[in-house]
Amino acid sequence: MEKVLTFRPVTVAEVFSAPDADMLISEYMAESGNPFLPQKPNVEYYRKAEESGAFRVIGAFSGERLVGFGSFVLTVIPHYSTVTASVESVFLSKDFRLGAAGVRLINAISQAAKDSGASGIYWGCRSGSRLETLFARVPRFTRMNTVFYEALA
């Protein structure tokens, strides 16, 4: 199995039609998904957000195989009148988290957000996760907020 990863922008259709999409999304949901929300992605909503220009996806590939992804939403913060990106997901299959692979995916997401006109990027991560630990150690990331989820249904 090739472990050298490449990263590139992909479409929502490419992600959900990839041969290993169901397995990859299941692995993502088990590790990073919100247990209070539906466990099945709303592909049509993703497509509409992508068509509007507000949603972007980066794929991580081993050869031609999709082994990870990162996605973000572009929004304008009214108070500051500036475009920012908010990461919706960042994930690499466990078999591909060697060396700097995760940091390379993070860098690819950051560059795609910058290329999309974002002045900054908000990264949400589960409390106590490997991602939180990484961000706390890397000087370019600034802890800004703590997020709480309230189920309303």
Side-chain angles (χ1 to χ4, degrees), residues 44-126:
E44 187 57 31
Y45 187 84
Y46 277 130
R47 284 188 180 124
K48 287 179 181 176
E50 178 181 59
E51 286 173 14
S52 77
F55 185 72
R56 304 279 200 290
V57 185
I58 300 298
F61 292 87
S62 175
E64 295 298 313
R65 180 178 168 210
L66 181 70
V67 298
F69 51 85
S71 62
F72 58 90
V73 177
L74 293 166
T75 57
V76 174
I77 298 178
H79 185 80
Y80 301 105
S81 300
T82 186
V83 175
T84 61
S86 294
V87 172
E88 197 265 344
S89 59
V90 56
F91 185 76
L92 274 176
S93 183
K94 287 182 183 180
D95 291 342
F96 296 89
R97 295 178 190 172
L98 302 172
V103 171
R104 290 180 57 227
L105 175 57
I106 289 165
N107 290 342
I109 295 165
S110 293
Q111 187 61 54
K114 183 177 180 180
D115 292 348
S116 298
S119 62
I121 188 166
Y122 287 100
W123 295 87
C125 50
R126 193 173 288 251

